Amino acid sequence: MNLPKDVALSDPRIMERYWAAWDRLLHKNLRRFPAMDAELLLISDAYPGVWLEHTFDAVCLATMNPAHREVARAQTLIFLQNQKPDGQLPCYVLDASHPSAVNYGRTVGYGQLQECVSFARLCWETYLLLRDREYLETAYRGCARWDDWLRRHRDTQGTGLIELFCEFDTGHDHSPRLAGISARSCPGGDAGACSPEDFMPLLAPDLNAVVYGSRCALEAMAAELGLPAEAAVWRRRAEDLRETLLRRCYDEADGFFYDVDRQGRARKYRTIHIASLFSERVLEPPLADAIYHRYLRNPAEFWTAYPFPAMSLADPRRSPGLKGNDWGYYSQGLTALRTLRWMEHYGYAADARLLMEAWVKALAVAERPFAQELDPVTGAPSECSPWYSSAMLFYIAAVRTLGLAGGE
């Protein structure tokens, strides 16, 4: 394979892949589950349903092409419709007719959080596309109940922070950051049950960034619904969480946010979980700039030839070697897509273009089309999940931002 960096932005393969991505998204990834009228955006053929962390994919599609805003409605509502009476949201909902659905043991899963991007924020963004008050009322009630469930079931130490109970809570499969945790999904398939190690649960910066984002979105929803007293409660809860997260998980010497175990010990793994604090806008500009330039924009850490790797190059525990789905090494399509939520907002638009150029060049020539992840050094795709929705959506967004789509 030619080195991706040798590809010119005028290479015709870039637009060939652009149209291939659109064709695949609209004719393969958009599907209806049995007995459902609405279309949903599935991740790829390797995944037999929709996952909570990929809700952003559907909202991203709807934002790029408003003709598909009903996909964002359906994708958010399927999780709200499967919300338990106690407020717990499912982490996935499967297409029961898919051949591999049987491997999961249940059609609707409640065994981990795996939110990764604030679901409430995505519901709010969907409302802004729809301007449907009934939808907003449904989303507000459901997301408020989800926050209540998290506070009741995931703050066992009374810190005010939400706790990590298992590996899959993070969506970061095979990450060295989660070393020593025996439970991939929560014991018994119950997200209210914690992995049994004596250092568990963990106070996790990325999980709490998502909750912060949700409370900010709930504030906006409440204000839109004419509930100013409730909006004020959500603002106070968001700020309380931000202050507690800074106090308990920020290491001033390292200038980084780490997981903290039950004994109050920081687990000093430098992984891409730090990006969630940008994505959910937890960080104020001075601290954001310090972290960004010390770590994310540092070629010795996360600013590789194909940013951003799931783990810093400088962390000796990074784990190159797995063939795919490895959050200890690869630059993930999910991470790339989520940069749309924060890089320009924080003033890093020029760097965002550099990142986009690198990914476009790599994906345009890869023999494995739109794989789930890229080698952060060479740009070669992993063997995991081709035609991955996040990679395709990021590619489309990047081609447009770079002005390569012409008079599309």
Side-chain angles (χ1 to χ4, degrees), residues 172-177 270-271 309-313 315 317-322 325-332 373 376:
H172 294 180
D173 296 15
H174 305 114
S175 174
R177 165 195 176 195
R270 292 205 298 278
T271 80
M311 198 160 188
S312 166
L313 294 184
D315 194 317
R317 295 157 299 187
R318 62 197 290 264
S319 58
L322 292 182
N325 196 20
D326 182 359
W327 283 79
Y329 180 65
Y330 289 105
S331 293
Q332 299 286 335
E373 51 209 354

Side-chain angles (χ1 to χ4, degrees), residues 25 29-30 41-44 51-64 68 71-72 75 117 122 333-334 337-338 341 388-394:
L25 282 167
N29 291 65
L30 277 182
L41 182 65
L42 274 64
I43 303 167
S44 75
W51 264 255
L52 191 60
E53 70 170 325
H54 277 271
T55 308
F56 176 45
D57 294 43
V59 176
C60 185
L61 173 67
T63 302
M64 291 196 296
H68 295 288
V71 175
Q75 200 104 356
V117 175
L122 295 172
L334 277 167
L337 185 65
R338 292 169 191 164
R341 302 187 67 78
Y388 191 69
S389 60
S390 301
M392 288 189 282
L393 288 162
F394 182 66

Side-chain angles (χ1 to χ4, degrees), residues 79-146:
F79 290 100
L80 292 166
Q81 290 161 354
N82 284 280
Q83 188 172 29
K84 286 185 175 182
D86 66 359
Q88 184 184 3
L89 287 175
C91 51
Y92 61 76
V93 181
L94 305 185
D95 175 358
S97 68
H98 192 286
S100 66
V102 67
N103 298 332
Y104 290 81
R106 60 191 74 188
T107 303
V108 184
Y110 298 94
Q112 64 257 13
L113 302 185
Q114 206 168 338
E115 192 171 356
C116 303
V117 175
S118 162
F119 181 72
R121 274 200 200 271
L122 295 172
C123 289
W124 172 245
E125 291 167 14
T126 299
Y127 165 72
L128 295 177
L129 293 170
L130 301 170
R131 293 293 178 179
D132 181 331
R133 186 178 177 88
E134 182 179 353
Y135 169 86
L136 181 62
E137 290 172 345
T138 298
Y140 177 68
R141 288 194 302 270
C143 292
R145 290 169 57 224
W146 174 228

Side-chain angles (χ1 to χ4, degrees), residues 246-272:
L246 185 65
R247 186 174 69 253
R248 287 187 170 264
C249 295
Y250 181 63
D251 185 297
E252 289 192 12
D254 291 358
F256 205 80
F257 285 80
Y258 296 117
D259 297 332
V260 175
D261 70 15
R262 176 179 284 280
Q263 286 77 37
R265 298 171 300 203
R267 290 166 58 93
K268 294 192 173 185
Y269 294 86
R270 292 205 298 278
T271 80
I272 200 59

